[in-house]
Amino acid sequence: MATVNMNAPLCEGGEPVRVGVVLTALTDYVSIGEEGRGLDYKSGNNEEAKSFSFDQVVTVDNIQIFQPEFLQPLAESISSGYNGALLICGAFTEKISTLIDQTITKQVLADLFSSVLPQGEEELFISVSFVQFYPDDNAVDLLSPRRQSLKLVAHPVLGNLVGGVCEVCVYSAEEAYSLYETCRESLKADGGSISSRCSSLFSVAVEWKLHPEEVEPEVCRSRLQLFRLAGGASRTDLRGVSPLVKVVDQTQREATSNDKILPFLLNDALTGNSRTALIYCINPQGLLDDETPCALALAQKASGLVTRATVYRWFPRANEQKIRDSIVDQRNTMMSQGGSEVHNTFRLAELTQNLQIVKNQSWEKRREESKKIKGKTQSGRPPKSNVHSSDHREASDPMKHLQAQLKQEMEEHIREGKGDVEKVQERAGRIQQLMDALREETLNPAATEQSDLRQQTEGPQRELLVLTRERRVLVLQIEALRAEAQQAEQDLQNQYQHQQTELHCLREESLQVFRVFRQVSEEQRRMSESRYRSVLLEAVQDAVYLSAQNQELQADNKQLRKALGELKDTLAVRSGPMAEGLSQQH
């Protein structure tokens, strides 16, 4: 993905993934090696200790050691134009999670903002995004007011992107960390009972102009990805399996292709264009602990992975014009071929999408979108003075919060009607996610007790309520699919009519060309035939004339020969007496 001067790569050598381990407690079975670079673990009193080597091993009491070893170099890499990733995973209690946010996440953001170039607002652009990942790998953008669907996009210039992610412009580390905390709280509120099993990705995109004084300056792009991965390393862990386990196993089997967003991004961070650090939190629990050895083995495998970081620079206007030229060439190709090739149509659509993505990278446009998102987020928050205690309890109840969201989505769908097919699909996807989360909350006894104690004895009514809501969702989905089918049929009919019209025009144009060509050919043939006949007639006339002249010349020649003979005879007769007279004189 890296480019210099119209996408020429600046590739460096491979770098191993840096791995650090945080021990929440020290036991007789776990000991830190010398200089804090290793760890010894034994599963029993009579078992031989196994040694593991890492870049840094600390406890929760001296977790600040990570700052010069991991955080500062990572932030400096971002300011140099490289992509960076920090993966935090393992055993998280509420206390440990808060400690990591305060000592690691907050510090890496502070280091990043202090190390970026001291450019002005017009020369520097920084934005953040936050994506939540459910255990089934479904992704939700927590900064999007409408929770629009996300998808992976492979762009020929910008590389692999997550399409649909909302960005918010920030101007300080404090503002970035405040948004991070807000999204973390939203994750807990939206996830409900499964929030502890949800992973997240907080991304910071940094862009700056290398030569601002130029008319079309070159832009350097880099990003920092902060992953928080839920789940354990053991496949028997009640929290579920960490996404890191699946990705590391796939890299070792060389089976890295995945269309899910989180596995794809993790694989890119661990083996692709990034300088990556991994911090694994381990909570040793004794002889019956199955998680600790699995976690140590997983962290050891991750330390053997190698990334290849590159610097990415590009010229936005030049790349935009290049794609526009490709679109013009593709349209000309379709016109010359009659537009009947399906792959040409798909290629044109792909180029159009690529152009729109490049246009969306405009700093001005992204700043405007960021203002809209901030405005909607602030306007959507009720004033604290007007919030009644019962309303506060309702907002804190995950069940009622999901119900309110589902009701809002349904009302918007009914109010807007059959609009854009893409929006209908996005809304149907959000409704389906809300329905799944609501069903899980409804069938969860603990959540049901918090939501309404009476629902524990009203199982059939609750099930009927769920079925009714599911039926409404299915009706909306059917309506969306019907609208999509109608739109697709209409588009296909329009495309067919357009193709027929183009084909008819081309046929008429071809016939007209053939008619003109035939007329010209006939005219040329007639002219050539007339010219040939006149030349042939002249040749015959010349031959007859020459034959007559030849005969006349032959007759004249014969008469001349006859006259010559007669003259010779006359001369001979006259010369006889003269000869005799001369002889007599002699």
Side-chain angles (χ1 to χ4, degrees), residues 385-428:
S385 60
N386 296 334
V387 178
H388 195 267
S389 60
S390 61
D391 296 334
H392 177 72
R393 289 195 299 270
E394 181 178 353
S396 63
D397 189 346
M399 178 84 170
K400 294 183 179 179
H401 181 68
L402 291 174
Q403 291 175 353
Q405 282 188 323
L406 183 61
K407 180 179 179 182
Q408 181 181 359
E409 292 290 343
M410 289 182 175
E411 289 177 352
E412 289 181 359
H413 177 76
I414 295 173
R415 182 173 61 255
E416 296 181 6
K418 299 179 181 179
D420 186 20
V421 177
E422 200 172 298
K423 292 183 179 179
V424 173
Q425 291 177 342
E426 292 178 1
R427 187 177 295 109

CSV table of all heavy atoms in Angstrom, one decimal, residues 385-428:
chain,number,residue,atom,x,y,z
A,385,SER,N,-29.9,17.8,34.2
A,385,SER,CA,-30.9,18.4,35.1
A,385,SER,C,-32.3,17.9,34.8
A,385,SER,O,-33.2,18.0,35.7
A,385,SER,CB,-30.8,19.9,35.1
A,385,SER,OG,-31.1,20.4,33.8
A,386,ASN,N,-32.6,17.5,33.6
A,386,ASN,CA,-34.0,17.1,33.2
A,386,ASN,C,-34.1,15.6,33.3
A,386,ASN,O,-35.2,15.1,32.9
A,386,ASN,CB,-34.3,17.6,31.8
A,386,ASN,CG,-34.3,19.1,31.8
A,386,ASN,OD1,-34.5,19.7,32.8
A,386,ASN,ND2,-34.0,19.6,30.6
A,387,VAL,N,-33.1,14.9,33.7
A,387,VAL,CA,-33.2,13.4,33.7
A,387,VAL,C,-33.8,12.9,35.1
A,387,VAL,O,-33.2,13.2,36.1
A,387,VAL,CB,-31.8,12.8,33.5
A,387,VAL,CG1,-32.0,11.3,33.5
A,387,VAL,CG2,-31.3,13.2,32.1
A,388,HIS,N,-34.9,12.3,35.0
A,388,HIS,CA,-35.6,11.8,36.2
A,388,HIS,C,-34.9,10.5,36.6
A,388,HIS,O,-34.3,9.8,35.8
A,388,HIS,CB,-37.1,11.6,36.0
A,388,HIS,CG,-37.8,11.4,37.3
A,388,HIS,ND1,-38.1,10.2,37.8
A,388,HIS,CD2,-38.4,12.3,38.1
A,388,HIS,CE1,-38.8,10.3,38.9
A,388,HIS,NE2,-39.0,11.6,39.1
A,389,SER,N,-35.0,10.2,37.9
A,389,SER,CA,-34.3,8.9,38.3
A,389,SER,C,-34.9,7.7,37.6
A,389,SER,O,-34.1,6.8,37.3
A,389,SER,CB,-34.5,8.8,39.9
A,389,SER,OG,-35.9,8.7,40.2
A,390,SER,N,-36.2,7.7,37.4
A,390,SER,CA,-36.8,6.5,36.7
A,390,SER,C,-36.3,6.5,35.3
A,390,SER,O,-36.0,5.4,34.7
A,390,SER,CB,-38.3,6.6,36.7
A,390,SER,OG,-38.7,7.8,36.0
A,391,ASP,N,-36.1,7.7,34.6
A,391,ASP,CA,-35.6,7.7,33.3
A,391,ASP,C,-34.1,7.2,33.3
A,391,ASP,O,-33.7,6.5,32.3
A,391,ASP,CB,-35.6,9.1,32.7
A,391,ASP,CG,-37.1,9.5,32.5
A,391,ASP,OD1,-37.9,8.6,32.4
A,391,ASP,OD2,-37.3,10.7,32.5
A,392,HIS,N,-33.4,7.5,34.3
A,392,HIS,CA,-32.0,7.1,34.4
A,392,HIS,C,-31.9,5.6,34.5
A,392,HIS,O,-31.1,4.9,33.9
A,392,HIS,CB,-31.3,7.8,35.6
A,392,HIS,CG,-29.9,7.3,35.8
A,392,HIS,ND1,-28.9,7.7,35.0
A,392,HIS,CD2,-29.3,6.5,36.8
A,392,HIS,CE1,-27.8,7.2,35.4
A,392,HIS,NE2,-28.0,6.5,36.4
A,393,ARG,N,-32.8,5.0,35.3
A,393,ARG,CA,-32.8,3.6,35.5
A,393,ARG,C,-33.2,2.9,34.2
A,393,ARG,O,-32.7,1.9,33.8
A,393,ARG,CB,-33.8,3.2,36.6
A,393,ARG,CG,-33.4,3.5,38.0
A,393,ARG,CD,-34.2,2.8,39.0
A,393,ARG,NE,-35.6,3.1,38.9
A,393,ARG,CZ,-36.2,4.1,39.6
A,393,ARG,NH1,-35.4,4.9,40.4
A,393,ARG,NH2,-37.4,4.4,39.4
A,394,GLU,N,-34.1,3.5,33.4
A,394,GLU,CA,-34.5,3.0,32.1
A,394,GLU,C,-33.4,3.0,31.2
A,394,GLU,O,-33.1,2.1,30.4
A,394,GLU,CB,-35.7,3.7,31.6
A,394,GLU,CG,-36.2,3.2,30.3
A,394,GLU,CD,-37.4,3.9,29.8
A,394,GLU,OE1,-37.9,4.8,30.5
A,394,GLU,OE2,-37.8,3.7,28.6
A,395,ALA,N,-32.6,4.2,31.1
A,395,ALA,CA,-31.4,4.3,30.2
A,395,ALA,C,-30.4,3.3,30.6
A,395,ALA,O,-29.6,2.8,29.7
A,395,ALA,CB,-30.9,5.7,30.3
A,396,SER,N,-30.2,3.0,31.9
A,396,SER,CA,-29.2,2.0,32.3
A,396,SER,C,-29.6,0.6,32.1
A,396,SER,O,-28.8,-0.3,32.3
A,396,SER,CB,-28.8,2.3,33.8
A,396,SER,OG,-30.0,2.0,34.6
A,397,ASP,N,-30.9,0.3,31.8
A,397,ASP,CA,-31.3,-1.0,31.6
A,397,ASP,C,-31.1,-1.4,30.2
A,397,ASP,O,-31.6,-0.9,29.2
A,397,ASP,CB,-32.8,-1.1,31.9
A,397,ASP,CG,-33.4,-2.5,31.9
A,397,ASP,OD1,-32.6,-3.4,31.4
A,397,ASP,OD2,-34.5,-2.7,32.4
A,398,PRO,N,-30.2,-2.4,29.9
A,398,PRO,CA,-29.9,-2.8,28.5
A,398,PRO,C,-31.1,-3.3,27.8
A,398,PRO,O,-31.3,-3.0,26.6
A,398,PRO,CB,-28.9,-3.9,28.7
A,398,PRO,CG,-28.3,-3.7,30.1
A,398,PRO,CD,-29.4,-3.2,30.9
A,399,MET,N,-32.0,-3.9,28.5
A,399,MET,CA,-33.2,-4.5,27.8
A,399,MET,C,-34.1,-3.3,27.2
A,399,MET,O,-34.4,-3.3,26.0
A,399,MET,CB,-34.1,-5.3,28.8
A,399,MET,CG,-35.4,-5.8,28.3
A,399,MET,SD,-35.1,-7.3,27.4
A,399,MET,CE,-36.8,-7.8,27.2
A,400,LYS,N,-34.4,-2.3,28.0
A,400,LYS,CA,-35.2,-1.2,27.6
A,400,LYS,C,-34.4,-0.3,26.6
A,400,LYS,O,-35.0,0.3,25.7
A,400,LYS,CB,-35.7,-0.4,28.8
A,400,LYS,CG,-36.6,-1.1,29.7
A,400,LYS,CD,-37.1,-0.3,30.8
A,400,LYS,CE,-38.1,-1.1,31.7
A,400,LYS,NZ,-38.6,-0.2,32.8
A,401,HIS,N,-33.1,-0.2,26.8
A,401,HIS,CA,-32.3,0.5,25.8
A,401,HIS,C,-32.4,-0.1,24.4
A,401,HIS,O,-32.6,0.6,23.4
A,401,HIS,CB,-30.9,0.6,26.3
A,401,HIS,CG,-30.0,1.4,25.4
A,401,HIS,ND1,-30.1,2.7,25.2
A,401,HIS,CD2,-29.0,1.0,24.5
A,401,HIS,CE1,-29.2,3.2,24.4
A,401,HIS,NE2,-28.5,2.1,23.9
A,402,LEU,N,-32.3,-1.4,24.4
A,402,LEU,CA,-32.4,-2.1,23.1
A,402,LEU,C,-33.8,-1.9,22.5
A,402,LEU,O,-34.0,-1.8,21.3
A,402,LEU,CB,-32.1,-3.6,23.2
A,402,LEU,CG,-30.6,-3.9,23.5
A,402,LEU,CD1,-30.4,-5.4,23.8
A,402,LEU,CD2,-29.7,-3.5,22.4
A,403,GLN,N,-34.9,-2.0,23.4
A,403,GLN,CA,-36.2,-1.9,22.9
A,403,GLN,C,-36.4,-0.5,22.3
A,403,GLN,O,-37.1,-0.3,21.3
A,403,GLN,CB,-37.2,-2.1,24.0
A,403,GLN,CG,-37.3,-3.6,24.5
A,403,GLN,CD,-38.2,-3.7,25.7
A,403,GLN,OE1,-38.6,-2.7,26.3
A,403,GLN,NE2,-38.4,-5.0,26.1
A,404,ALA,N,-35.9,0.5,23.0
A,404,ALA,CA,-36.0,1.9,22.5
A,404,ALA,C,-35.3,2.1,21.1
A,404,ALA,O,-35.8,2.7,20.2
A,404,ALA,CB,-35.5,2.9,23.5
A,405,GLN,N,-34.1,1.5,21.0
A,405,GLN,CA,-33.4,1.6,19.7
A,405,GLN,C,-34.2,0.9,18.6
A,405,GLN,O,-34.3,1.4,17.5
A,405,GLN,CB,-32.0,0.9,19.9
A,405,GLN,CG,-31.0,1.8,20.6
A,405,GLN,CD,-29.6,1.3,20.5
A,405,GLN,OE1,-29.4,0.1,20.6
A,405,GLN,NE2,-28.6,2.1,20.3
A,406,LEU,N,-34.7,-0.3,18.9
A,406,LEU,CA,-35.5,-1.1,17.9
A,406,LEU,C,-36.8,-0.3,17.5
A,406,LEU,O,-37.1,-0.2,16.3
A,406,LEU,CB,-35.9,-2.4,18.5
A,406,LEU,CG,-36.6,-3.4,17.5
A,406,LEU,CD1,-35.8,-3.7,16.3
A,406,LEU,CD2,-37.0,-4.7,18.2
A,407,LYS,N,-37.4,0.3,18.5
A,407,LYS,CA,-38.6,1.1,18.2
A,407,LYS,C,-38.3,2.3,17.3
A,407,LYS,O,-39.0,2.6,16.3
A,407,LYS,CB,-39.3,1.6,19.5
A,407,LYS,CG,-40.5,2.4,19.3
A,407,LYS,CD,-41.1,2.8,20.6
A,407,LYS,CE,-42.4,3.7,20.4
A,407,LYS,NZ,-42.9,4.1,21.7
A,408,GLN,N,-37.1,2.9,17.6
A,408,GLN,CA,-36.7,4.1,16.8
A,408,GLN,C,-36.4,3.7,15.4
A,408,GLN,O,-36.8,4.4,14.4
A,408,GLN,CB,-35.5,4.7,17.5
A,408,GLN,CG,-35.0,6.0,16.7
A,408,GLN,CD,-33.7,6.5,17.4
A,408,GLN,OE1,-33.3,6.0,18.4
A,408,GLN,NE2,-33.2,7.6,16.8
A,409,GLU,N,-35.7,2.6,15.2
A,409,GLU,CA,-35.4,2.1,13.9
A,409,GLU,C,-36.6,1.8,13.1
A,409,GLU,O,-36.7,2.1,11.9
A,409,GLU,CB,-34.4,0.9,13.9
A,409,GLU,CG,-33.0,1.2,14.5
A,409,GLU,CD,-32.2,2.0,13.5
A,409,GLU,OE1,-32.6,2.1,12.3
A,409,GLU,OE2,-31.2,2.6,13.9
A,410,MET,N,-37.6,1.1,13.7
A,410,MET,CA,-38.8,0.8,13.0
A,410,MET,C,-39.6,2.1,12.6
A,410,MET,O,-40.2,2.2,11.5
A,410,MET,CB,-39.7,-0.1,13.9
A,410,MET,CG,-39.2,-1.5,14.1
A,410,MET,SD,-40.2,-2.5,15.1
A,410,MET,CE,-39.4,-4.1,15.0
A,411,GLU,N,-39.7,3.0,13.5
A,411,GLU,CA,-40.4,4.3,13.2
A,411,GLU,C,-39.7,5.0,12.1
A,411,GLU,O,-40.4,5.5,11.2
A,411,GLU,CB,-40.4,5.2,14.5
A,411,GLU,CG,-41.4,4.6,15.6
A,411,GLU,CD,-41.3,5.5,16.8
A,411,GLU,OE1,-40.4,6.4,16.9
A,411,GLU,OE2,-42.1,5.3,17.7
A,412,GLU,N,-38.4,5.0,12.1
A,412,GLU,CA,-37.7,5.7,10.9
A,412,GLU,C,-38.0,5.0,9.6
A,412,GLU,O,-38.1,5.6,8.6
A,412,GLU,CB,-36.2,5.7,11.2
A,412,GLU,CG,-35.8,6.7,12.3
A,412,GLU,CD,-34.3,6.7,12.5
A,412,GLU,OE1,-33.6,6.0,11.8
A,412,GLU,OE2,-33.9,7.5,13.4
A,413,HIS,N,-38.0,3.6,9.7
A,413,HIS,CA,-38.3,2.9,8.5
A,413,HIS,C,-39.7,3.2,7.9
A,413,HIS,O,-39.9,3.3,6.7
A,413,HIS,CB,-38.1,1.4,8.8
A,413,HIS,CG,-38.4,0.5,7.6
A,413,HIS,ND1,-37.6,0.4,6.5
A,413,HIS,CD2,-39.5,-0.2,7.3
A,413,HIS,CE1,-38.1,-0.4,5.6
A,413,HIS,NE2,-39.3,-0.8,6.0
A,414,ILE,N,-40.7,3.2,8.9
A,414,ILE,CA,-42.1,3.4,8.4
A,414,ILE,C,-42.2,4.9,7.9
A,414,ILE,O,-42.9,5.2,7.0
A,414,ILE,CB,-43.0,3.2,9.6
A,414,ILE,CG1,-43.0,1.7,10.0
A,414,ILE,CG2,-44.4,3.6,9.3
A,414,ILE,CD1,-43.8,1.4,11.2
A,415,ARG,N,-41.5,5.8,8.6
A,415,ARG,CA,-41.6,7.2,8.2
A,415,ARG,C,-41.0,7.5,6.9
A,415,ARG,O,-41.5,8.2,6.0
A,415,ARG,CB,-41.0,8.1,9.3
A,415,ARG,CG,-41.1,9.6,9.0
A,415,ARG,CD,-40.7,10.4,10.2
A,415,ARG,NE,-39.3,10.2,10.5
A,415,ARG,CZ,-38.8,9.5,11.5
A,415,ARG,NH1,-39.7,9.0,12.4
A,415,ARG,NH2,-37.6,9.4,11.8
A,416,GLU,N,-39.8,6.9,6.6
A,416,GLU,CA,-39.1,7.2,5.4
A,416,GLU,C,-39.6,6.4,4.2
A,416,GLU,O,-39.4,6.7,3.1
A,416,GLU,CB,-37.6,6.9,5.6
A,416,GLU,CG,-37.0,7.9,6.6
A,416,GLU,CD,-35.5,7.6,6.8
A,416,GLU,OE1,-34.9,6.8,6.1
A,416,GLU,OE2,-34.9,8.3,7.7
A,417,GLY,N,-40.2,5.2,4.5
A,417,GLY,CA,-40.8,4.4,3.4
A,417,GLY,C,-39.7,3.7,2.6
A,417,GLY,O,-38.6,3.5,3.1
A,418,LYS,N,-40.0,3.4,1.4
A,418,LYS,CA,-39.1,2.7,0.5
A,418,LYS,C,-38.2,3.7,-0.2
A,418,LYS,O,-38.5,4.2,-1.3
A,418,LYS,CB,-40.0,1.9,-0.6
A,418,LYS,CG,-40.9,0.8,0.0
A,418,LYS,CD,-41.6,0.1,-1.0
A,418,LYS,CE,-42.5,-0.9,-0.5
A,418,LYS,NZ,-43.3,-1.6,-1.5
A,419,GLY,N,-37.2,4.0,0.4
A,419,GLY,CA,-36.2,5.0,-0.1
A,419,GLY,C,-35.1,4.3,-0.9
A,419,GLY,O,-35.3,3.3,-1.6
A,420,ASP,N,-33.9,4.7,-0.6
A,420,ASP,CA,-32.7,4.2,-1.2
A,420,ASP,C,-32.6,2.7,-0.8
A,420,ASP,O,-32.7,2.4,0.4
A,420,ASP,CB,-31.5,5.0,-0.9
A,420,ASP,CG,-30.3,4.5,-1.6
A,420,ASP,OD1,-30.5,3.8,-2.7
A,420,ASP,OD2,-29.2,4.8,-1.2
A,421,VAL,N,-32.3,1.8,-1.7
A,421,VAL,CA,-32.2,0.4,-1.4
A,421,VAL,C,-31.0,0.2,-0.4
A,421,VAL,O,-31.1,-0.6,0.5
A,421,VAL,CB,-31.9,-0.4,-2.7
A,421,VAL,CG1,-31.7,-1.9,-2.3
A,421,VAL,CG2,-33.1,-0.3,-3.6
A,422,GLU,N,-29.9,0.9,-0.6
A,422,GLU,CA,-28.8,0.7,0.3
A,422,GLU,C,-29.1,1.1,1.7
A,422,GLU,O,-28.8,0.4,2.7
A,422,GLU,CB,-27.6,1.6,-0.2
A,422,GLU,CG,-26.3,1.2,0.3
A,422,GLU,CD,-25.2,1.9,-0.4
A,422,GLU,OE1,-25.1,1.8,-1.6
A,422,GLU,OE2,-24.5,2.6,0.3
A,423,LYS,N,-29.9,2.2,1.9
A,423,LYS,CA,-30.3,2.6,3.3
A,423,LYS,C,-31.2,1.6,3.9
A,423,LYS,O,-31.2,1.3,5.1
A,423,LYS,CB,-30.9,4.0,3.2
A,423,LYS,CG,-30.0,5.1,2.8
A,423,LYS,CD,-30.7,6.5,2.9
A,423,LYS,CE,-29.7,7.6,2.5
A,423,LYS,NZ,-30.4,8.9,2.5
A,424,VAL,N,-32.1,1.0,3.0
A,424,VAL,CA,-33.1,0.0,3.5
A,424,VAL,C,-32.3,-1.2,4.0
A,424,VAL,O,-32.6,-1.8,5.1
A,424,VAL,CB,-34.1,-0.4,2.4
A,424,VAL,CG1,-34.9,-1.5,2.9
A,424,VAL,CG2,-35.0,0.8,2.1
A,425,GLN,N,-31.3,-1.6,3.3
A,425,GLN,CA,-30.5,-2.7,3.7
A,425,GLN,C,-29.7,-2.5,5.0
A,425,GLN,O,-29.7,-3.3,5.9
A,425,GLN,CB,-29.5,-3.1,2.6
A,425,GLN,CG,-30.2,-3.7,1.3
A,425,GLN,CD,-29.2,-4.0,0.2
A,425,GLN,OE1,-28.1,-3.5,0.2
A,425,GLN,NE2,-29.6,-4.8,-0.7
A,426,GLU,N,-29.2,-1.3,5.1
A,426,GLU,CA,-28.5,-0.9,6.3
A,426,GLU,C,-29.4,-0.9,7.5
A,426,GLU,O,-29.0,-1.5,8.6
A,426,GLU,CB,-27.8,0.5,6.2
A,426,GLU,CG,-26.7,0.5,5.2
A,426,GLU,CD,-26.1,1.9,5.0
A,426,GLU,OE1,-26.6,2.8,5.7
A,426,GLU,OE2,-25.2,2.1,4.2
A,427,ARG,N,-30.6,-0.4,7.3
A,427,ARG,CA,-31.5,-0.3,8.4
A,427,ARG,C,-32.0,-1.8,8.8
A,427,ARG,O,-32.1,-2.1,10.0
A,427,ARG,CB,-32.7,0.5,8.1
A,427,ARG,CG,-33.7,0.7,9.2
A,427,ARG,CD,-34.8,1.6,8.9
A,427,ARG,NE,-34.4,3.0,8.6
A,427,ARG,CZ,-34.4,3.5,7.4
A,427,ARG,NH1,-34.8,2.8,6.3
A,427,ARG,NH2,-33.9,4.7,7.2
A,428,ALA,N,-32.2,-2.6,7.8
A,428,ALA,CA,-32.6,-4.0,8.1
A,428,ALA,C,-31.5,-4.7,8.8
A,428,ALA,O,-31.8,-5.5,9.7
A,428,ALA,CB,-32.9,-4.7,6.8
